[in-house]
Amino acid sequence: MFDINLVLFYGITFGILIMSILYTFIRYIYSKEIFYISYCFMQVFSLIYIIGYSKLFEINHFIQELALVIASLSAMLFAINYYEGRFFPKITNYKELIISTLLLNIVILTAFYHYMLFEYLPYTIIYGILFISIIFNLKEGFKPTLIYVIGWSIFCILLFVFNFKAFYNQNGYFDLVLLVFAMEAMLFTISIAYKYNDLKNKNQNFEKMVIQQSKFVKSGEMIANITHQFRQPLNNISYILINLKKKFENKILDEIYFDKKIEQLNSQVLFLSKTIDDFKEFYTKSKEKEIFMVKDAINNSITILSADLKTHNIDLKISFETFEDIKIFGVKSELSQVLIAIISNSIDALKNKNNPKIRINIFSNNAEVIISLEDNASGIKPKNLKKIFEPYFSTKEEGTGIGLYLSKMIIEESFSGKILVENQKEGVLFSLFIEKTF
């Protein structure tokens, strides 16, 4: 018969390990980070080891030792992937060499004491490697690793100062190795929370960078659009000035004609100014959210793409099934980015079509504004329909595969909305659902 308290203590340890395994496995599914799955494997084989160690269940000694080896290798893989900074310090003089050597000796001695205390190699491997991560990269201030190492170091120092292990063993308490499993799980959970926030912040910064870069990917097309947009107004201005000059030289320039031509000139200049503002807004980095009219974002995107629409004789119509001044909350340039990505894809698909059409319809209900964009370009192949929002997936030879991925991300994260796509009889229909602003 086993002592009920011992069974309970082992049961708690098993429970902590199982929760740690589930936690890291779920994190891996969502993040695909190697350090999660390697830690998960380490804990799985640590669980097998501790079950055999407990003698509560019969496990072959070879299997127990094999579990220890695999747990140790998994621990090394985890620590290397979790490692931050440089593996080797940058040494430029003897002083730095002496300091680095001294610090490395401290790590080795501390890791050795860690093993002597707890007698479990996988956790000692993690502690030793991550300790090196800290001392060789002190200036970087790596918080997740710092929390992990400092937590273990404080625990080890307290045990050393108070000679806790000898006291613990003399009084016949449960094996200290059980405490180490609980301690490891708690420290990892705390440090991984910081790590997750770190990764989240890095991911957000990366996404912002990708959004900005995706705008510049189309720079060549945009420059062509700007050239086309400017050519006609500049030609008109040139003709107006020529007519004014002729009238003046022939001394038949009257005030009514002069005022009329000045008004035409002002109209062309205003058009050029608005075009510049639209392009400038599109390229401006993300800014604070604001309440804006949906039609402004639509008009901005149409202005930018108008040259392509004219070149390919695409009939684009905008229809409001709700009042035209309807507003939403967000970043106007980002909504324009989404509309440009969707309309650009339609333009590419419509280039060789007869009677090409794009229809933009705006609806609303009590809670949402719905922007639908439909073309008659024959739709998307069913096998590709579910993939079009995946990063780097493109059916075009020169496509980057980030336009629709970013569009989905912007609608979901910046506007707390959703974007849906479906094939219609003649083409494809994109629907944007965004919360209405009252």
Side-chain angles (χ1 to χ4, degrees):
M1 293 293 293
F2 294 103
D3 182 352
I4 187 63
N5 291 323
L6 181 64
V7 173
L8 180 62
F9 204 4
Y10 270 111
I12 293 171
T13 304
F14 297 159
I16 290 171
L17 283 173
I18 291 169
M19 289 302 295
S20 177
I21 291 165
L22 290 173
Y23 173 78
T24 49
F25 183 70
I26 291 169
R27 281 292 191 199
Y28 171 73
I29 291 173
Y30 280 96
S31 69
K32 304 301 181 187
E33 293 286 346
I34 296 297
F35 66 81
Y36 280 121
I37 195 65
S38 55
Y39 190 87
C40 180
F41 271 112
M42 182 195 71
Q43 293 294 64
V44 167
F45 289 101
S46 292
L47 179 61
I48 294 171
Y49 174 82
I50 196 68
I51 287 173
Y53 183 87
S54 70
K55 301 294 192 294
L56 296 176
F57 303 93
E58 287 296 328
I59 290 184
N60 185 282
H61 181 71
F62 173 77
I63 293 176
Q64 186 180 347
E65 292 302 312
L66 180 63
L68 180 61
V69 171
I70 297 175
S72 299
L73 293 173
S74 299
M76 187 174 294
L77 181 62
F78 160 73
I80 291 170
N81 281 279
Y82 197 79
Y83 193 99
E84 298 172 285
R86 300 184 302 270
F87 268 100
F88 301 101
K90 187 177 181 181
I91 299 172
T92 57
N93 52 56
Y94 286 110
K95 181 181 177 182
E96 290 179 354
L97 176 62
I98 293 169
I99 292 173
S100 296
T101 304
L102 179 62
L103 291 173
L104 185 59
N105 283 322
I106 291 172
V107 172
I108 294 170
L109 290 171
T110 309
F112 178 74
Y113 181 67
H114 182 280
Y115 179 74
M116 294 301 293
L117 271 173
F118 307 119
E119 299 176 7
Y120 190 67
L121 185 60
Y123 295 161
T124 300
I125 290 171
I126 297 174
Y127 175 67
I129 292 176
L130 296 187
F131 200 165
I132 292 173
S133 170
I134 293 298
I135 64 168
F136 285 171
N137 302 278
L138 286 171
K139 295 179 181 179
E140 304 298 328
F142 299 125
K143 289 183 180 179
T145 307
L146 198 61
I147 290 169
Y148 189 95
V149 171
I150 288 177
W152 266 123
S153 297
I154 291 173
F155 191 49
C156 291
I157 289 168
L158 289 174
L159 294 180
F160 175 76
V161 170
F162 295 104
N163 196 20
F164 183 76
K165 186 174 183 180
F167 171 79
Y168 195 87
N169 292 334
Q170 286 172 5
N171 285 274
Y173 295 130
F174 304 127
D175 203 313
L176 194 60
V177 74
L178 295 179
L179 283 179
V180 100
F181 283 96
M183 180 72 182
E184 165 67 22
M186 288 187 291
L187 278 174
F188 177 75
T189 302
I190 294 169
S191 60
I192 211 66
Y194 279 93
K195 185 77 170 182
Y196 175 75
N197 288 333
D198 250 13
L199 291 172
K200 187 177 179 181
N201 291 333
K202 288 177 182 177
N203 188 49
Q204 287 175 344
N205 291 333
F206 173 75
E207 287 173 349
K208 287 179 182 178
M209 181 188 71
V210 171
I211 288 174
Q212 193 63 20
Q213 286 182 343
S214 71
K215 295 179 181 181
F216 289 104
V217 166
K218 299 178 73 67
S219 289
E221 296 175 29
M222 293 302 170
I223 290 170
N225 282 337
I226 292 172
T227 303
H228 189 94
Q229 292 281 70
F230 275 32
R231 182 176 288 116
Q232 188 60 46
L234 289 172
N235 284 339
N236 291 340
I237 290 171
S238 178
Y239 290 140
I240 291 169
L241 291 173
I242 289 171
N243 288 333
L244 282 173
K245 183 181 179 183
K246 285 184 178 180
K247 290 279 187 179
F248 178 77
E249 287 175 346
N250 294 327
K251 298 182 180 179
I252 55 174
L253 180 62
D254 58 57
E255 187 176 345
I256 294 174
Y257 184 84
F258 180 78
D259 289 341
K260 179 183 176 181
K261 292 302 177 182
I262 291 298
E263 186 177 338
Q264 290 175 356
L265 283 171
N266 284 332
S267 174
Q268 296 300 313
V269 170
L270 287 172
F271 176 81
L272 291 172
S273 178
K274 184 181 182 303
T275 303
I276 291 170
D277 288 340
D278 288 339
F279 279 95
K280 181 181 176 182
E281 184 173 323
F282 176 70
Y283 280 106
T284 300
K285 289 185 178 180
S286 182
K287 53 188 177 182
E288 293 297 320
K289 292 183 179 182
E290 61 182 355
I291 296 172
F292 65 90
M293 289 191 290
V294 172
K295 71 176 182 181
D296 288 343
I298 294 173
N299 290 335
N300 286 352
S301 60
I302 299 305
T303 298
I304 290 171
L305 295 171
S306 60
D308 276 347
L309 293 167
K310 290 176 183 176
T311 300
H312 301 290
N313 297 312
I314 296 172
D315 177 27
L316 185 145
K317 289 184 179 178
I318 303 170
S319 175
F320 280 84
E321 304 297 326
T322 181
F323 54 95
E324 288 194 16
D325 291 340
I326 194 162
K327 298 178 180 179
I328 58 176
F329 180 72
V331 180
K332 185 166 65 174
S333 63
E334 288 189 351
L335 180 57
S336 295
Q337 166 86 357
V338 172
L339 296 172
I340 288 169
I342 296 172
I343 297 171
S344 292
N345 285 343
S346 291
I347 291 172
D348 288 337
L350 289 166
K351 285 179 180 178
N352 299 315
K353 299 289 182 180
N354 294 323
N355 193 26
K357 296 177 183 177
I358 297 175
R359 297 290 178 262
I360 301 176
N361 298 306
I362 299 90
F363 309 89
S364 71
N365 54 36
N366 292 333
E368 294 176 315
V369 175
I370 302 104
I371 305 171
S372 71
L373 301 98
E374 186 176 3
D375 63 35
N376 62 339
S378 302
I380 301 170
K381 291 180 181 179
K383 67 177 183 179
N384 295 331
L385 201 60
K386 293 181 180 180
K387 299 179 182 179
I388 61 170
F389 293 119
E390 293 178 4
Y392 310 113
F393 174 79
S394 178
T395 57
K396 296 181 286 187
E397 290 184 6
E398 298 179 358
T400 61
I402 59 175
L404 291 178
Y405 162 68
L406 290 175
S407 297
K408 185 174 186 292
M409 186 183 70
I410 289 170
I411 294 299
E412 290 180 349
E413 297 185 6
S414 295
F415 290 92
S416 300
K418 62 181 178 180
I419 179 170
L420 301 177
V421 60
E422 59 183 306
N423 281 323
Q424 298 290 299
K425 184 178 180 181
E426 294 186 336
V428 68
L429 172 67
F430 283 88
S431 300
L432 314 180
F433 297 84
I434 302 172
E435 185 178 345
K436 184 195 294 184
T437 300
F438 297 94

mmCIF file of all heavy atoms in Angstrom, residues 322-358:
data_model
loop_
_atom_site.group_PDB
_atom_site.id
_atom_site.type_symbol
_atom_site.label_atom_id
_atom_site.label_comp_id
_atom_site.label_asym_id
_atom_site.label_seq_id
_atom_site.Cartn_x
_atom_site.Cartn_y
_atom_site.Cartn_z
ATOM 1 N N THR A 322 -28.175 52.858 -48.743
ATOM 2 C CA THR A 322 -28.359 53.541 -47.468
ATOM 3 C C THR A 322 -27.985 54.998 -47.706
ATOM 4 O O THR A 322 -27.627 55.372 -48.822
ATOM 5 C CB THR A 322 -27.481 52.892 -46.377
ATOM 6 O OG1 THR A 322 -27.703 53.554 -45.139
ATOM 7 C CG2 THR A 322 -25.998 52.982 -46.733
ATOM 8 N N PHE A 323 -28.063 55.836 -46.681
ATOM 9 C CA PHE A 323 -27.730 57.245 -46.908
ATOM 10 C C PHE A 323 -26.237 57.404 -47.171
ATOM 11 O O PHE A 323 -25.408 56.719 -46.588
ATOM 12 C CB PHE A 323 -28.188 58.131 -45.743
ATOM 13 C CG PHE A 323 -27.696 57.711 -44.387
ATOM 14 C CD1 PHE A 323 -26.559 58.274 -43.838
ATOM 15 C CD2 PHE A 323 -28.388 56.753 -43.646
ATOM 16 C CE1 PHE A 323 -26.108 57.895 -42.589
ATOM 17 C CE2 PHE A 323 -27.937 56.369 -42.392
ATOM 18 C CZ PHE A 323 -26.796 56.941 -41.871
ATOM 19 N N GLU A 324 -25.882 58.321 -48.057
ATOM 20 C CA GLU A 324 -24.507 58.431 -48.560
ATOM 21 C C GLU A 324 -23.499 58.889 -47.522
ATOM 22 O O GLU A 324 -22.306 58.642 -47.667
ATOM 23 C CB GLU A 324 -24.464 59.385 -49.759
ATOM 24 C CG GLU A 324 -25.086 58.804 -51.011
ATOM 25 C CD GLU A 324 -24.732 59.598 -52.254
ATOM 26 O OE1 GLU A 324 -23.772 60.412 -52.182
ATOM 27 O OE2 GLU A 324 -25.399 59.422 -53.269
ATOM 28 N N ASP A 325 -23.965 59.567 -46.491
ATOM 29 C CA ASP A 325 -23.036 60.096 -45.493
ATOM 30 C C ASP A 325 -22.791 59.132 -44.337
ATOM 31 O O ASP A 325 -22.339 59.541 -43.258
ATOM 32 C CB ASP A 325 -23.567 61.432 -44.937
ATOM 33 C CG ASP A 325 -23.532 62.535 -45.981
ATOM 34 O OD1 ASP A 325 -22.769 62.377 -46.953
ATOM 35 O OD2 ASP A 325 -24.268 63.519 -45.839
ATOM 36 N N ILE A 326 -23.088 57.862 -44.545
ATOM 37 C CA ILE A 326 -22.913 56.882 -43.469
ATOM 38 C C ILE A 326 -21.444 56.806 -43.064
ATOM 39 O O ILE A 326 -20.543 56.889 -43.908
ATOM 40 C CB ILE A 326 -23.438 55.501 -43.915
ATOM 41 C CG1 ILE A 326 -23.579 54.579 -42.698
ATOM 42 C CG2 ILE A 326 -22.553 54.863 -44.981
ATOM 43 C CD1 ILE A 326 -24.461 53.390 -42.945
ATOM 44 N N LYS A 327 -21.211 56.655 -41.748
ATOM 45 C CA LYS A 327 -19.854 56.723 -41.211
ATOM 46 C C LYS A 327 -19.466 55.457 -40.456
ATOM 47 O O LYS A 327 -20.313 54.730 -39.943
ATOM 48 C CB LYS A 327 -19.726 57.932 -40.263
ATOM 49 C CG LYS A 327 -19.950 59.276 -40.946
ATOM 50 C CD LYS A 327 -19.860 60.418 -39.952
ATOM 51 C CE LYS A 327 -20.084 61.770 -40.639
ATOM 52 N NZ LYS A 327 -20.025 62.891 -39.675
ATOM 53 N N ILE A 328 -18.154 55.226 -40.401
ATOM 54 C CA ILE A 328 -17.591 54.132 -39.605
ATOM 55 C C ILE A 328 -16.378 54.662 -38.850
ATOM 56 O O ILE A 328 -15.899 55.766 -39.114
ATOM 57 C CB ILE A 328 -17.193 52.924 -40.472
ATOM 58 C CG1 ILE A 328 -16.182 53.347 -41.544
ATOM 59 C CG2 ILE A 328 -18.404 52.269 -41.086
ATOM 60 C CD1 ILE A 328 -15.658 52.195 -42.377
ATOM 61 N N PHE A 329 -15.871 53.851 -37.914
ATOM 62 C CA PHE A 329 -14.725 54.243 -37.083
ATOM 63 C C PHE A 329 -13.511 53.404 -37.458
ATOM 64 O O PHE A 329 -13.572 52.179 -37.503
ATOM 65 C CB PHE A 329 -15.054 54.042 -35.606
ATOM 66 C CG PHE A 329 -13.934 54.413 -34.669
ATOM 67 C CD1 PHE A 329 -13.594 55.746 -34.461
ATOM 68 C CD2 PHE A 329 -13.215 53.428 -34.006
ATOM 69 C CE1 PHE A 329 -12.559 56.088 -33.605
ATOM 70 C CE2 PHE A 329 -12.184 53.759 -33.136
ATOM 71 C CZ PHE A 329 -11.861 55.105 -32.938
ATOM 72 N N GLY A 330 -12.402 54.076 -37.761
ATOM 73 C CA GLY A 330 -11.181 53.367 -38.112
ATOM 74 C C GLY A 330 -10.197 54.300 -38.791
ATOM 75 O O GLY A 330 -10.256 55.517 -38.616
ATOM 76 N N VAL A 331 -9.283 53.728 -39.552
ATOM 77 C CA VAL A 331 -8.299 54.507 -40.311
ATOM 78 C C VAL A 331 -8.725 54.497 -41.773
ATOM 79 O O VAL A 331 -8.766 53.440 -42.403
ATOM 80 C CB VAL A 331 -6.882 53.926 -40.159
ATOM 81 C CG1 VAL A 331 -5.872 54.762 -40.954
ATOM 82 C CG2 VAL A 331 -6.478 53.878 -38.691
ATOM 83 N N LYS A 332 -9.054 55.673 -42.298
ATOM 84 C CA LYS A 332 -9.607 55.767 -43.647
ATOM 85 C C LYS A 332 -8.659 55.193 -44.693
ATOM 86 O O LYS A 332 -9.078 54.479 -45.605
ATOM 87 C CB LYS A 332 -9.933 57.230 -43.973
ATOM 88 C CG LYS A 332 -10.623 57.402 -45.324
ATOM 89 C CD LYS A 332 -11.237 58.779 -45.492
ATOM 90 C CE LYS A 332 -10.189 59.874 -45.513
ATOM 91 N NZ LYS A 332 -10.754 61.204 -45.825
ATOM 92 N N SER A 333 -7.364 55.493 -44.581
ATOM 93 C CA SER A 333 -6.399 55.008 -45.575
ATOM 94 C C SER A 333 -6.318 53.487 -45.588
ATOM 95 O O SER A 333 -6.039 52.874 -46.621
ATOM 96 C CB SER A 333 -5.012 55.610 -45.316
ATOM 97 O OG SER A 333 -4.510 55.192 -44.064
ATOM 98 N N GLU A 334 -6.577 52.849 -44.441
ATOM 99 C CA GLU A 334 -6.535 51.389 -44.385
ATOM 100 C C GLU A 334 -7.733 50.781 -45.102
ATOM 101 O O GLU A 334 -7.609 49.749 -45.768
ATOM 102 C CB GLU A 334 -6.463 50.908 -42.933
ATOM 103 C CG GLU A 334 -5.120 51.170 -42.271
ATOM 104 C CD GLU A 334 -4.978 50.498 -40.926
ATOM 105 O OE1 GLU A 334 -5.984 49.954 -40.418
ATOM 106 O OE2 GLU A 334 -3.861 50.522 -40.376
ATOM 107 N N LEU A 335 -8.910 51.406 -44.970
ATOM 108 C CA LEU A 335 -10.060 50.916 -45.717
ATOM 109 C C LEU A 335 -9.820 51.112 -47.219
ATOM 110 O O LEU A 335 -10.157 50.242 -48.028
ATOM 111 C CB LEU A 335 -11.341 51.630 -45.292
ATOM 112 C CG LEU A 335 -12.614 51.181 -46.018
ATOM 113 C CD1 LEU A 335 -12.846 49.687 -45.859
ATOM 114 C CD2 LEU A 335 -13.840 51.956 -45.518
ATOM 115 N N SER A 336 -9.227 52.241 -47.579
ATOM 116 C CA SER A 336 -8.874 52.472 -48.980
ATOM 117 C C SER A 336 -7.912 51.395 -49.471
ATOM 118 O O SER A 336 -8.014 50.923 -50.609
ATOM 119 C CB SER A 336 -8.232 53.857 -49.155
ATOM 120 O OG SER A 336 -9.152 54.889 -48.873
ATOM 121 N N GLN A 337 -6.975 51.004 -48.601
ATOM 122 C CA GLN A 337 -6.019 49.934 -48.931
ATOM 123 C C GLN A 337 -6.752 48.641 -49.261
ATOM 124 O O GLN A 337 -6.422 47.946 -50.236
ATOM 125 C CB GLN A 337 -5.082 49.726 -47.733
ATOM 126 C CG GLN A 337 -4.262 48.458 -47.755
ATOM 127 C CD GLN A 337 -2.969 48.615 -48.522
ATOM 128 O OE1 GLN A 337 -2.714 49.670 -49.085
ATOM 129 N NE2 GLN A 337 -2.176 47.576 -48.559
ATOM 130 N N VAL A 338 -7.757 48.306 -48.467
ATOM 131 C CA VAL A 338 -8.542 47.085 -48.689
ATOM 132 C C VAL A 338 -9.290 47.170 -50.021
ATOM 133 O O VAL A 338 -9.274 46.228 -50.825
ATOM 134 C CB VAL A 338 -9.531 46.862 -47.527
ATOM 135 C CG1 VAL A 338 -10.486 45.716 -47.847
ATOM 136 C CG2 VAL A 338 -8.779 46.592 -46.231
ATOM 137 N N LEU A 339 -9.968 48.299 -50.245
ATOM 138 C CA LEU A 339 -10.745 48.480 -51.470
ATOM 139 C C LEU A 339 -9.849 48.425 -52.707
ATOM 140 O O LEU A 339 -10.206 47.823 -53.723
ATOM 141 C CB LEU A 339 -11.499 49.812 -51.417
ATOM 142 C CG LEU A 339 -12.556 49.929 -50.309
ATOM 143 C CD1 LEU A 339 -13.086 51.348 -50.234
ATOM 144 C CD2 LEU A 339 -13.697 48.952 -50.545
ATOM 145 N N ILE A 340 -8.676 49.038 -52.608
ATOM 146 C CA ILE A 340 -7.730 49.029 -53.731
ATOM 147 C C ILE A 340 -7.273 47.604 -54.039
ATOM 148 O O ILE A 340 -7.185 47.205 -55.208
ATOM 149 C CB ILE A 340 -6.516 49.938 -53.431
ATOM 150 C CG1 ILE A 340 -6.944 51.411 -53.507
ATOM 151 C CG2 ILE A 340 -5.368 49.668 -54.405
ATOM 152 C CD1 ILE A 340 -5.908 52.377 -52.977
ATOM 153 N N ALA A 341 -6.998 46.820 -53.002
ATOM 154 C CA ALA A 341 -6.546 45.438 -53.206
ATOM 155 C C ALA A 341 -7.611 44.620 -53.923
ATOM 156 O O ALA A 341 -7.315 43.874 -54.870
ATOM 157 C CB ALA A 341 -6.206 44.801 -51.858
ATOM 158 N N ILE A 342 -8.868 44.763 -53.489
ATOM 159 C CA ILE A 342 -9.954 43.985 -54.087
ATOM 160 C C ILE A 342 -10.244 44.452 -55.514
ATOM 161 O O ILE A 342 -10.365 43.642 -56.439
ATOM 162 C CB ILE A 342 -11.223 44.081 -53.216
ATOM 163 C CG1 ILE A 342 -10.969 43.447 -51.837
ATOM 164 C CG2 ILE A 342 -12.398 43.389 -53.901
ATOM 165 C CD1 ILE A 342 -12.081 43.656 -50.840
ATOM 166 N N ILE A 343 -10.343 45.778 -55.715
ATOM 167 C CA ILE A 343 -10.645 46.317 -57.045
ATOM 168 C C ILE A 343 -9.502 46.025 -58.018
ATOM 169 O O ILE A 343 -9.735 45.707 -59.187
ATOM 170 C CB ILE A 343 -10.931 47.829 -56.960
ATOM 171 C CG1 ILE A 343 -12.173 48.090 -56.110
ATOM 172 C CG2 ILE A 343 -11.133 48.417 -58.353
ATOM 173 C CD1 ILE A 343 -12.413 49.556 -55.776
ATOM 174 N N SER A 344 -8.251 46.107 -57.539
ATOM 175 C CA SER A 344 -7.095 45.800 -58.398
ATOM 176 C C SER A 344 -7.155 44.373 -58.913
ATOM 177 O O SER A 344 -6.853 44.102 -60.083
ATOM 178 C CB SER A 344 -5.790 46.012 -57.628
ATOM 179 O OG SER A 344 -5.583 47.363 -57.344
ATOM 180 N N ASN A 345 -7.542 43.440 -58.035
ATOM 181 C CA ASN A 345 -7.678 42.042 -58.458
ATOM 182 C C ASN A 345 -8.766 41.908 -59.525
ATOM 183 O O ASN A 345 -8.618 41.142 -60.481
ATOM 184 C CB ASN A 345 -8.001 41.150 -57.260
ATOM 185 C CG ASN A 345 -6.798 40.914 -56.375
ATOM 186 O OD1 ASN A 345 -5.664 41.133 -56.783
ATOM 187 N ND2 ASN A 345 -7.033 40.480 -55.146
ATOM 188 N N SER A 346 -9.864 42.640 -59.330
ATOM 189 C CA SER A 346 -10.942 42.601 -60.327
ATOM 190 C C SER A 346 -10.470 43.170 -61.660
ATOM 191 O O SER A 346 -10.771 42.621 -62.722
ATOM 192 C CB SER A 346 -12.156 43.391 -59.817
ATOM 193 O OG SER A 346 -12.773 42.738 -58.733
ATOM 194 N N ILE A 347 -9.719 44.262 -61.603
ATOM 195 C CA ILE A 347 -9.190 44.872 -62.836
ATOM 196 C C ILE A 347 -8.306 43.876 -63.583
ATOM 197 O O ILE A 347 -8.416 43.717 -64.810
ATOM 198 C CB ILE A 347 -8.403 46.162 -62.516
ATOM 199 C CG1 ILE A 347 -9.362 47.259 -62.024
ATOM 200 C CG2 ILE A 347 -7.639 46.646 -63.748
ATOM 201 C CD1 ILE A 347 -8.650 48.495 -61.499
ATOM 202 N N ASP A 348 -7.419 43.190 -62.858
ATOM 203 C CA ASP A 348 -6.539 42.198 -63.487
ATOM 204 C C ASP A 348 -7.346 41.074 -64.137
ATOM 205 O O ASP A 348 -7.003 40.592 -65.221
ATOM 206 C CB ASP A 348 -5.584 41.604 -62.449
ATOM 207 C CG ASP A 348 -4.516 42.588 -62.014
ATOM 208 O OD1 ASP A 348 -4.228 43.520 -62.787
ATOM 209 O OD2 ASP A 348 -3.975 42.429 -60.897
ATOM 210 N N ALA A 349 -8.418 40.653 -63.452
ATOM 211 C CA ALA A 349 -9.237 39.549 -63.976
ATOM 212 C C ALA A 349 -10.109 39.989 -65.149
ATOM 213 O O ALA A 349 -10.526 39.154 -65.964
ATOM 214 C CB ALA A 349 -10.106 38.992 -62.860
ATOM 215 N N LEU A 350 -10.388 41.294 -65.250
ATOM 216 C CA LEU A 350 -11.292 41.812 -66.279
ATOM 217 C C LEU A 350 -10.584 42.299 -67.543
ATOM 218 O O LEU A 350 -11.241 42.712 -68.504
ATOM 219 C CB LEU A 350 -12.127 42.963 -65.707
ATOM 220 C CG LEU A 350 -13.207 42.588 -64.682
ATOM 221 C CD1 LEU A 350 -13.699 43.834 -63.958
ATOM 222 C CD2 LEU A 350 -14.365 41.861 -65.350
ATOM 223 N N LYS A 351 -9.271 42.257 -67.563
ATOM 224 C CA LYS A 351 -8.507 42.856 -68.664
ATOM 225 C C LYS A 351 -8.883 42.303 -70.036
ATOM 226 O O LYS A 351 -8.897 43.030 -71.022
ATOM 227 C CB LYS A 351 -7.008 42.669 -68.414
ATOM 228 C CG LYS A 351 -6.460 43.600 -67.355
ATOM 229 C CD LYS A 351 -4.978 43.369 -67.130
ATOM 230 C CE LYS A 351 -4.440 44.330 -66.061
ATOM 231 N NZ LYS A 351 -3.005 44.093 -65.787
ATOM 232 N N ASN A 352 -9.177 41.023 -70.129
ATOM 233 C CA ASN A 352 -9.490 40.406 -71.420
ATOM 234 C C ASN A 352 -10.957 39.996 -71.531
ATOM 235 O O ASN A 352 -11.300 39.123 -72.324
ATOM 236 C CB ASN A 352 -8.589 39.179 -71.643
ATOM 237 C CG ASN A 352 -7.114 39.550 -71.672
ATOM 238 O OD1 ASN A 352 -6.728 40.528 -72.317
ATOM 239 N ND2 ASN A 352 -6.299 38.782 -70.957
ATOM 240 N N LYS A 353 -11.808 40.624 -70.725
ATOM 241 C CA LYS A 353 -13.228 40.304 -70.734
ATOM 242 C C LYS A 353 -14.002 41.313 -71.568
ATOM 243 O O LYS A 353 -13.623 42.492 -71.653
ATOM 244 C CB LYS A 353 -13.782 40.290 -69.307
ATOM 245 C CG LYS A 353 -13.132 39.269 -68.387
ATOM 246 C CD LYS A 353 -13.521 37.852 -68.757
ATOM 247 C CE LYS A 353 -12.896 36.850 -67.796
ATOM 248 N NZ LYS A 353 -13.255 35.458 -68.136
ATOM 249 N N ASN A 354 -15.100 40.844 -72.175
ATOM 250 C CA ASN A 354 -16.003 41.737 -72.888
ATOM 251 C C ASN A 354 -16.957 42.392 -71.908
ATOM 252 O O ASN A 354 -17.431 41.758 -70.950
ATOM 253 C CB ASN A 354 -16.809 40.955 -73.936
ATOM 254 C CG ASN A 354 -15.920 40.423 -75.042
ATOM 255 O OD1 ASN A 354 -14.962 41.090 -75.459
ATOM 256 N ND2 ASN A 354 -16.223 39.219 -75.530
ATOM 257 N N ASN A 355 -17.229 43.679 -72.127
ATOM 258 C CA ASN A 355 -18.156 44.427 -71.275
ATOM 259 C C ASN A 355 -17.796 44.296 -69.787
ATOM 260 O O ASN A 355 -18.619 43.879 -68.971
ATOM 261 C CB ASN A 355 -19.580 43.928 -71.514
ATOM 262 C CG ASN A 355 -20.621 44.865 -70.918
ATOM 263 O OD1 ASN A 355 -20.376 46.067 -70.756
ATOM 264 N ND2 ASN A 355 -21.769 44.311 -70.565
ATOM 265 N N PRO A 356 -16.556 44.616 -69.406
ATOM 266 C CA PRO A 356 -16.128 44.459 -68.003
ATOM 267 C C PRO A 356 -16.852 45.420 -67.060
ATOM 268 O O PRO A 356 -17.011 46.602 -67.366
ATOM 269 C CB PRO A 356 -14.630 44.765 -68.058
ATOM 270 C CG PRO A 356 -14.474 45.667 -69.240
ATOM 271 C CD PRO A 356 -15.494 45.211 -70.246
ATOM 272 N N LYS A 357 -17.266 44.894 -65.913
ATOM 273 C CA LYS A 357 -18.030 45.704 -64.952
ATOM 274 C C LYS A 357 -17.565 45.439 -63.525
ATOM 275 O O LYS A 357 -17.198 44.311 -63.176
ATOM 276 C CB LYS A 357 -19.521 45.373 -65.037
ATOM 277 C CG LYS A 357 -20.190 45.708 -66.360
ATOM 278 C CD LYS A 357 -21.644 45.270 -66.335
ATOM 279 C CE LYS A 357 -22.321 45.529 -67.673
ATOM 280 N NZ LYS A 357 -23.729 45.046 -67.670
ATOM 281 N N ILE A 358 -17.592 46.482 -62.722
ATOM 282 C CA ILE A 358 -17.392 46.370 -61.270
ATOM 283 C C ILE A 358 -18.506 47.165 -60.601
ATOM 284 O O ILE A 358 -18.766 48.314 -60.973
ATOM 285 C CB ILE A 358 -16.014 46.917 -60.826
ATOM 286 C CG1 ILE A 358 -14.881 46.093 -61.441
ATOM 287 C CG2 ILE A 358 -15.906 46.903 -59.292
ATOM 288 C CD1 ILE A 358 -13.491 46.637 -61.145
#
